[in-house]
Amino acid sequence: MKVFLHYSWDSEAHKEWVLELANRLTADGVDLVFDRYDLQVGSNNLHFMEKIEACQKVVLVMSKGYKPKVDSRTGGAGYEYQIITSEIAVKMASNTKCIPVLRNGDSHSSIPVLLQHFQYIDMRDDKKFEQLYLELLRAIYGKPLVTRPELGKKPSWDNNFTKDNKNISDDKPKQAHDIIANSLYRVLAEIENDAEIDREKLMQSFETVYKKSKDMSRDSAVLTAPEFHETIDMLLLSFQNDKLLITISGNDASLWVSVAKQFEYEVKAILNDVMVIMDQHGTSSHIHWRFERMEDIILVSYGNNSLGKTTDLSIVNSLKSTKQKVNSIGGKMDFSPVFNEIRIQLPLNTNNQNVNRSKISEDNFEFSVFDITIVELLSKGVLQKDIPQILHSKNIKPSTLSSVEKRLNSMREKCSLKSNEELVAFFKDIGII
């Protein structure tokens, strides 16, 4: 499915935000038609814009600079909008192609006249980006969060509330034993990671597990062992509550084909560690896990919308033991304090582990969280002169331009590199970013 990303070139910050959005969508399988991907020197601008007609979806990023251009039909954005409106006019009452997104301003200053009465996704608040991004992703793929269920059959009031001659109790989950096991696993993890155990809190945790097991003992359904991806889902979702939403993408049965039992134990321990540690250091309301398999490596990423001070070195220190667990199976783990993200690489066989270990490692060099942060910002296209402003907004110190320049110079000298571009490439080569 082709998706056209339609927006106006406002400020540099706005262009970078749209680029970041495009990169995220591409990473999640959206085949984008996007000017900064597809237009090169010598490209035909009109031919590019007319690709809108062949696309199944169009994402319209509305901003203060967007409305005056499209309403007056000026510039590239105006021409693209003219094509879009001609399609909307044909199916005004049943629009499924165009997905409006409000980035800044309000309905009066940013939304074109024709789109004033259309539902849109409000992405003005960066603190809610993850939640709203998932809403956009669902809209693109046609997978709304709430769908109308199939119309069921009328209950049989004279047959003890049965349906299709099958007792309703037979529809209860078949993985009760694994739910109990994961609940116990979480309690044990709390004990392991809590230096000062609260006896009352511990008793409450075991009481909860006991109640679950007692309730499930009434279920006469035959218990069957769940597949590993289901076990992972249950483990991660066991941390969810009325104040914390947890979403998971990419975790399916094919991801874990031919994985050894010992490897499964290690993976569960690693993911549980991350959940426990990040829960202790943040105030996030939404956590998203993404799983992806690339040949003999499973890539796992954790992200949240935490308002807490994720740059605190205590997080880095707490994650050291988890990183050692990842290293022990030949993997890599990196923490990005700026983007509240943890990335984990898990090799699936010993040959691959040996290859990873034979490569040059970041452990051969001493890079601080500050070092990794400023190089990662460079890799995202942030100019060196703009880095201090971002550091300051994230409460990362030092945040002066001179301190950034000194660290970059020191790292280039340490690694025998001539430019920041070579430094970014080096960090990518050894798997730090």
Side-chain angles (χ1 to χ4, degrees):
M1 178 174 66
K2 288 281 188 182
V3 178
F4 194 97
L5 185 53
H6 170 63
Y7 69 108
S8 67
W9 282 33
D10 298 351
S11 64
E12 285 299 320
H14 180 67
K15 287 166 57 180
E16 287 304 306
W17 186 89
V18 175
L19 177 59
E20 283 294 320
L21 178 64
N23 291 341
R24 279 288 297 272
L25 289 171
T26 302
D28 281 318
V30 179
D31 188 3
L32 278 184
V33 177
F34 178 47
D35 57 358
R36 296 184 70 178
Y37 290 165
D38 301 322
L39 284 180
Q40 309 297 331
V41 175
S43 297
N44 186 322
N45 289 346
L46 292 180
H47 176 68
F48 166 78
M49 296 175 189
E50 288 166 358
K51 289 182 179 180
I52 293 173
E53 297 176 346
C55 289
Q56 286 73 44
K57 299 279 185 180
V58 178
V59 175
L60 302 87
V61 181
M62 304 178 294
S63 59
K64 290 181 180 179
Y66 172 82
K67 180 180 178 180
K69 291 177 184 177
V70 301
D71 276 348
S72 62
R73 304 297 193 274
T74 58
Y79 182 72
E80 290 173 0
Y81 186 69
Q82 186 172 344
I83 299 173
I84 293 169
T85 52
S86 65
E87 295 199 23
I88 292 177
V90 175
K91 297 181 179 180
M92 180 68 75
S94 59
N95 167 54
T96 58
K97 181 170 182 174
C98 299
I99 306 172
V101 170
L102 180 60
R103 172 54 187 159
N104 59 48
D106 53 34
S107 59
H108 176 73
S109 64
S110 301
I111 301 180
V113 175
L114 184 63
L115 302 178
Q116 287 283 335
H117 301 290
F118 283 58
Q119 291 286 337
Y120 60 86
I121 300 174
D122 188 347
M123 299 188 75
R124 290 175 291 180
D125 188 351
D126 287 336
K127 295 175 182 177
K128 299 179 180 178
F129 177 82
E130 289 297 332
Q131 177 181 348
L132 297 169
Y133 171 75
L134 286 175
E135 184 178 341
L136 172 60
L137 204 58
R138 284 180 171 275
I140 290 173
Y141 283 113
K143 299 291 184 181
L145 191 60
V146 178
T147 57
R148 185 190 297 273
E150 292 185 9
L151 188 63
K153 296 180 180 180
K154 183 178 70 174
S156 176
W157 303 102
D158 300 324
N159 194 23
N160 196 26
F161 295 97
T162 60
K163 52 183 181 180
D164 296 335
N165 297 321
K166 180 182 178 183
N167 194 288
I168 289 177
S169 65
D170 290 342
D171 289 335
K172 293 181 180 180
K174 309 295 185 183
Q175 299 87 13
H177 67 300
D178 205 78
I179 294 174
I180 298 300
N182 281 326
S183 299
L184 285 171
Y185 191 90
R186 183 179 176 187
V187 174
L188 292 172
E190 290 175 355
I191 296 172
E192 181 182 359
N193 289 279
D194 194 346
E196 298 180 1
I197 299 174
D198 184 333
R199 187 175 183 277
E200 184 176 347
K201 180 182 176 182
L202 183 61
M203 291 302 296
Q204 288 177 349
S205 297
F206 277 116
E207 174 105 12
T208 301
V209 177
Y210 170 74
K211 287 180 179 178
K212 281 185 180 180
S213 62
K214 189 174 180 181
D215 290 341
M216 290 176 182
S217 68
R218 301 190 183 99
D219 188 0
S220 59
V222 177
L223 297 178
T224 58
E227 294 188 43
F228 184 61
H229 72 286
E230 296 171 326
T231 301
I232 289 296
D233 282 351
M234 286 189 285
L235 171 62
L236 299 178
L237 293 175
S238 69
F239 288 83
Q240 186 166 266
N241 54 51
D242 57 348
K243 295 182 180 179
L244 176 63
L245 172 66
I246 297 176
T247 53
I248 305 168
S249 62
N251 182 36
D252 54 40
S254 62
L255 194 76
W256 307 100
V257 172
S258 303
V259 168
K261 269 293 176 192
Q262 183 58 40
F263 185 82
E264 292 182 356
Y265 297 145
E266 296 287 354
V267 171
K268 285 200 294 185
I270 290 165
L271 300 184
N272 188 81
D273 280 359
V274 172
M275 288 298 297
V276 171
I277 292 169
M278 298 307 288
D279 184 57
Q280 292 172 346
H281 291 87
T283 56
S284 56
S285 60
H286 181 206
I287 290 172
H288 182 61
W289 285 92
R290 182 184 303 152
F291 295 80
E292 181 182 3
R293 182 163 177 168
M294 298 180 64
E295 297 181 351
D296 288 333
I297 295 178
I298 291 179
L299 303 177
V300 182
S301 67
Y302 161 100
N304 67 43
N305 63 346
S306 176
L307 304 180
K309 192 175 180 182
T310 58
T311 55
D312 193 326
L313 286 177
S314 61
I315 297 183
V316 179
N317 293 331
S318 298
L319 287 171
K320 280 184 178 178
S321 62
T322 310
K323 188 171 184 177
Q324 290 173 354
K325 290 179 183 177
V326 176
N327 291 342
S328 71
I329 57 174
K332 284 182 175 292
M333 188 180 90
D334 300 298
F335 170 52
S336 171
V338 172
F339 302 100
N340 295 344
E341 185 179 31
I342 296 172
R343 292 184 294 269
I344 303 170
Q345 295 182 25
L346 302 171
L348 295 178
N349 59 57
T350 54
N351 291 333
N352 192 68
Q353 292 172 20
N354 293 334
V355 170
N356 285 342
R357 288 192 179 279
S358 67
K359 290 183 179 179
I360 185 169
S361 168
E362 70 269 25
D363 294 334
N364 295 61
F365 301 87
E366 294 181 359
F367 294 120
S368 67
V369 174
F370 179 76
D371 296 338
I372 296 172
T373 298
I374 59 178
V375 175
E376 182 162 22
L377 287 171
L378 288 174
S379 74
K380 298 286 186 180
V382 178
L383 298 177
Q384 182 174 312
K385 65 182 180 66
D386 295 329
I387 290 178
Q389 182 179 354
I390 296 177
L391 296 178
H392 181 73
S393 69
K394 296 286 184 178
N395 293 322
I396 301 175
K397 296 180 180 180
S399 59
T400 62
L401 182 57
S402 62
S403 62
V404 171
E405 291 174 344
K406 286 178 182 178
R407 286 307 303 154
L408 289 172
N409 289 336
S410 176
M411 285 188 284
R412 288 197 303 268
E413 183 178 346
K414 181 190 302 183
C415 303
S416 301
L417 301 171
K418 296 179 181 179
S419 66
N420 287 343
E421 288 77 11
E422 290 183 358
L423 185 62
V424 169
F426 175 76
F427 269 53
K428 288 182 178 179
D429 285 344
I430 63 176
I432 296 181
I433 61 174

